Amino acid sequence: MSSAPPCLLVLLGLGAAVLTACGDPLMVKPGEHDEIGEAYRVDPQIEWSRQQDRKLQIWTVDGPLLEQLRLYADIADGDSLLPTPRRSISKQKGEQRPKYHKGMRAHDVMELVATTLAQSGAVDVGAGRLRPAEFGGRSGFRFDLRFESDLGVAYRGLAAGMITKDGRLHLILYMGAQPHYFDAYEAIIQRILNSVVLL
């Protein structure tokens, strides 16, 4: 993925990289059918704050450390799911950033997400219940996540995605703190997933 603008920072407290901006976030409102890259659009259902990079948008209502919806578009061979800060996380840790590769299947994507969370600081990461599910009317997949932050906060997650004919990945990832925040928006997230329209 492209380098984030200078005002974008990476926060690891959630156990997944979170984009934050220097200025005020943009607002996403219900009924606007927001476009994610040039790949698909969704109906936000409710009002969200939004930050974005070239292939990633992050939406939140109460703050990204409480809940966040990550919308990826056109992840290509060699791309990472982490936004690229000015100083690479992997260089700080002496680790190579997990990357998506053309030819991956749904179970590989599930493993990629789990590995990315773990490298970002999450502990006790669990990913499972991989199942087929439509994504914008096409064949896709969903899976569930559980993990804890480095501060011991428990999170649940839900991922939905598809791999295009040319091998690119579209992925929507929702994560929320337990016990309240994941449950509070789960039904809304399901409606957002059902609203996906491919472009």
Side-chain angles (χ1 to χ4, degrees):
M1 295 178 64
S2 63
S3 295
C7 66
L8 296 177
L9 305 174
V10 174
L11 304 177
L12 297 179
L14 177 58
V18 177
L19 288 174
T20 62
C22 301
D24 293 332
L26 300 174
M27 302 304 296
V28 180
K29 297 182 179 181
E32 290 186 345
H33 294 91
D34 202 64
E35 292 189 2
I36 312 303
E38 297 180 354
Y40 61 93
R41 65 175 182 261
V42 296
D43 185 337
Q45 305 293 321
I46 60 173
E47 188 171 284
W48 302 78
S49 297
R50 177 184 69 189
Q51 307 290 355
Q52 66 183 68
D53 197 2
R54 185 167 61 92
K55 295 185 178 182
L56 167 64
Q57 292 190 22
I58 296 181
W59 299 1
T60 186
V61 177
D62 303 295
L65 299 183
L66 297 177
E67 93 287 315
Q68 60 172 276
L69 180 64
R70 302 168 67 85
L71 302 106
Y72 297 89
D74 287 324
I75 300 301
D77 184 66
D79 284 346
S80 170
L81 298 182
L82 294 172
T84 305
R86 297 175 73 182
R87 183 181 177 194
S88 170
I89 298 172
S90 58
K91 288 181 179 178
Q92 293 178 40
K93 289 190 168 188
E95 298 176 353
Q96 196 166 31
R97 296 158 66 87
K99 294 179 180 179
Y100 172 76
H101 294 291
K102 189 174 181 178
M104 281 186 166
R105 300 192 177 188
H107 67 274
D108 300 311
V109 173
M110 183 171 70
E111 183 175 338
L112 172 66
V113 171
T115 301
T116 300
L117 285 169
Q119 191 184 95
S120 299
V123 296
D124 295 329
V125 179
R129 286 196 66 226
L130 178 64
R131 55 205 183 269
E134 285 192 356
F135 189 96
R138 303 281 181 86
S139 296
F141 55 85
R142 293 187 187 182
F143 57 86
D144 299 331
L145 294 160
R146 289 183 181 273
F147 61 93
E148 290 187 4
S149 73
D150 51 2
L151 299 177
V153 178
Y155 290 85
R156 284 182 62 196
L158 171 64
M162 67 168 289
I163 297 170
T164 66
K165 290 182 178 180
D166 62 356
R168 292 175 179 263
L169 173 66
H170 304 329
L171 183 68
I172 299 176
L173 177 60
Y174 171 62
M175 298 174 287
Q178 287 284 78
H180 173 70
Y181 290 94
F182 181 88
D183 296 341
Y185 298 101
E186 184 177 14
I188 292 169
I189 297 304
Q190 295 289 354
R191 294 201 298 271
I192 290 174
L193 297 180
N194 292 336
S195 77
V196 172
V197 175
L198 297 174
L199 301 178

